[in-house]
Amino acid sequence: MAKKVILLEGQRAGDVWVFIEQERGEVHPVSWELLGVGRVVADKLQVKLVAVVLGYQIDHIPPEALAYGADQVHVVDDPVLKDYRVYPYRKKISALCKKYNPNIFFVGATTLGRSLAGAVATELETGLTADSTQIDVDVEMRQLLASRPTFAGNLMATIVCPNPKHTPQMATVRPRVFPIPPRRPREITSDNVIHHSLGISEEDVPSRVIDFISSGSENHFDLSYAEIIVSGGRGLGNKAGFQLLQEFAQEIGGVVGASRAVVDAGWISHDHQVGQTGKTVRPKIYFACGISGAIQHLVGMKDSDVVVAINTDPNAPIFQMADYGIVGDLYRVIPALIEEVRRRKNPRTFPPSAP
């Protein structure tokens, strides 16, 4: 239960809000991650943590939001919201913000979240920090301190919205930066789940959804939430080296990542980049192949459960973070690993190695 707080003149009031992103009833994991960091911020400010969820046929989502830490959930369930469109989402969330006056509002830095956050911040004429990777709060001034990489990842900038007349203070937060908090189911009451009508008809919305094309294909991958990642760096020597990493990744059920240097060189697309200016990841196993270990890269994968580094340079910084290090030529090490994986999958096909 939030404590009553006495505010001085010029200080901000209001709770901490988190947008629960869902598409077709499936919640994006970044929403639960934001409830975790939102809980920390709300406790520091001694206010409520409030989740906001919009959609259609979403009765299963408010109990989950409560279980992941929300004190209260605002729900708008309407057929108009079945598919995400900027106009109805922007209008309703902005109206809720004007009614309840939250102090801080977190949104995931996803494709949908970036679209929505910018639209809401514009309508409310408030500040928005995009793609934040660190979150803190000045308790005395009740001011959000949202930090993000700048100058191509060489500096971290902490951005504030100093004028208390402009609220809520908004930030989109990169997925996988914060862990998902423990799930603790709670009872739903009329006080902790509040339903609102949309007040917008289909005729009011200027856009229409004609068809829904799923991104689920053989080439689709979600690097941020992959459990096994095989990343390559300049030590590969050329872009053809990623064919070997792809072969290894397929054998162990992983996806391919990359350092910024090889993305900049055009060896692989930016979708694969891990690091301060790429994706933040938390896999169970992270293979760093031919990656020296620049700080910008380490920031993006430092929370991996197990790090395996393969590099010819025994003094490469990556070995300082690695749980297991192999000093050697990746073009000899990885084929040997592939052969061993295949042997274990099909022991009859591969005879035992000679002693």
Side-chain angles (χ1 to χ4, degrees):
M1 182 66 67
K3 300 177 182 178
K4 185 175 181 179
V5 179
I6 299 176
L7 300 176
L8 300 176
E9 184 178 355
Q11 287 185 318
R12 291 176 164 97
D15 297 321
V16 174
W17 281 22
V18 169
F19 173 67
I20 305 301
E21 178 180 331
Q22 63 81 29
E23 287 192 271
R24 297 182 172 249
E26 184 175 347
V27 176
H28 195 295
V30 73
S31 304
W32 310 142
E33 297 163 12
L34 292 181
L35 285 177
V37 67
R39 177 79 273 162
V40 174
V41 173
D43 287 348
K44 285 184 177 181
L45 296 176
Q46 298 182 359
V47 297
K48 287 187 297 187
L49 175 63
V50 179
V52 182
V53 57
L54 282 71
Y56 181 52
Q57 297 180 336
I58 52 173
D59 288 345
H60 60 291
I61 297 179
E64 291 300 300
L66 293 172
Y68 282 110
D71 298 312
Q72 193 174 73
V73 187
H74 290 299
V75 183
V76 187
D77 193 324
D78 192 283
V80 175
L81 301 172
K82 179 181 178 181
D83 295 302
Y84 172 74
R85 289 173 290 177
V86 176
Y87 180 83
Y89 272 71
R90 168 176 62 88
K91 282 295 185 182
K92 190 58 191 181
I93 290 177
S94 297
L96 290 173
C97 287
K98 291 173 182 177
K99 180 178 179 179
Y100 291 97
N101 193 29
N103 179 22
I104 293 171
F105 193 3
F106 294 124
V107 180
T110 61
T111 301
L112 187 156
R114 288 169 175 148
S115 167
L116 177 64
V120 171
T122 300
E123 176 136 337
L124 296 177
E125 298 184 348
T126 190
L128 168 65
T129 302
D131 207 27
S132 307
T133 58
Q134 295 177 18
I135 294 294
D136 203 350
V137 63
D138 182 329
V139 176
E140 183 178 353
M141 298 305 298
R142 311 184 74 75
Q143 193 168 80
L144 176 64
L145 307 176
S147 301
R148 56 154 296 154
T150 187
F151 287 101
N154 294 312
L155 291 175
M156 289 293 290
T158 298
I159 300 171
V160 298
C161 183
N163 191 335
K165 294 181 180 179
H166 295 282
T167 55
Q169 303 168 85
M170 294 184 66
T172 58
V173 181
R174 187 185 297 184
R176 296 298 266 174
V177 169
F178 298 102
I180 294 177
R183 184 180 179 278
R184 298 186 175 93
R186 291 170 51 204
E187 182 181 357
I188 293 180
T189 69
S190 58
D191 292 328
N192 61 21
V193 176
I194 303 173
H195 291 269
H196 303 269
S197 61
L198 177 60
I200 298 173
S201 67
E202 183 63 36
E203 290 69 29
D204 296 325
V205 184
S207 60
R208 298 287 181 269
V209 176
I210 303 302
D211 195 6
F212 181 82
I213 302 174
S214 173
S215 60
S217 66
E218 292 182 1
N219 297 321
H220 177 70
F221 69 99
D222 190 345
L223 186 65
S224 296
Y225 291 91
E227 294 194 345
I228 301 175
I229 298 176
V230 180
S231 276
R234 282 182 294 188
L236 286 174
N238 55 66
K239 66 184 301 182
F242 277 103
Q243 296 176 4
L244 178 62
L245 299 194
Q246 182 63 50
E247 183 181 358
F248 181 40
Q250 287 178 342
E251 289 294 334
I252 60 177
V255 300
V256 172
S259 69
R260 175 184 162 186
V262 297
V263 171
D264 288 348
W267 295 0
I268 197 168
S269 69
H270 184 266
D271 293 346
H272 296 265
Q273 184 177 330
V274 175
Q276 224 169 31
T277 52
K279 300 289 181 64
T280 300
V281 299
R282 290 173 173 262
K284 292 181 178 178
I285 305 177
Y286 188 87
F287 289 90
C289 309
I291 294 175
S292 62
I295 186 63
Q296 290 91 342
H297 186 79
L298 299 182
V299 165
M301 45 70 69
K302 61 183 177 61
D303 291 316
S304 305
D305 290 348
V306 175
V307 177
V308 180
I310 305 170
N311 204 294
T312 56
D313 179 6
N315 298 314
I318 191 67
F319 286 122
Q320 300 300 314
M321 179 174 285
D323 298 282
Y324 300 95
I326 302 174
V327 178
D329 183 352
L330 66 88
Y331 285 101
R332 296 182 61 187
V333 173
I334 293 179
L337 291 174
I338 293 173
E339 182 178 349
E340 179 63 17
V341 170
R342 290 173 176 170
R343 185 185 68 79
R344 296 197 179 198
K345 287 181 178 178
N346 305 288
R348 294 181 181 179
T349 305
F350 292 83
S353 301

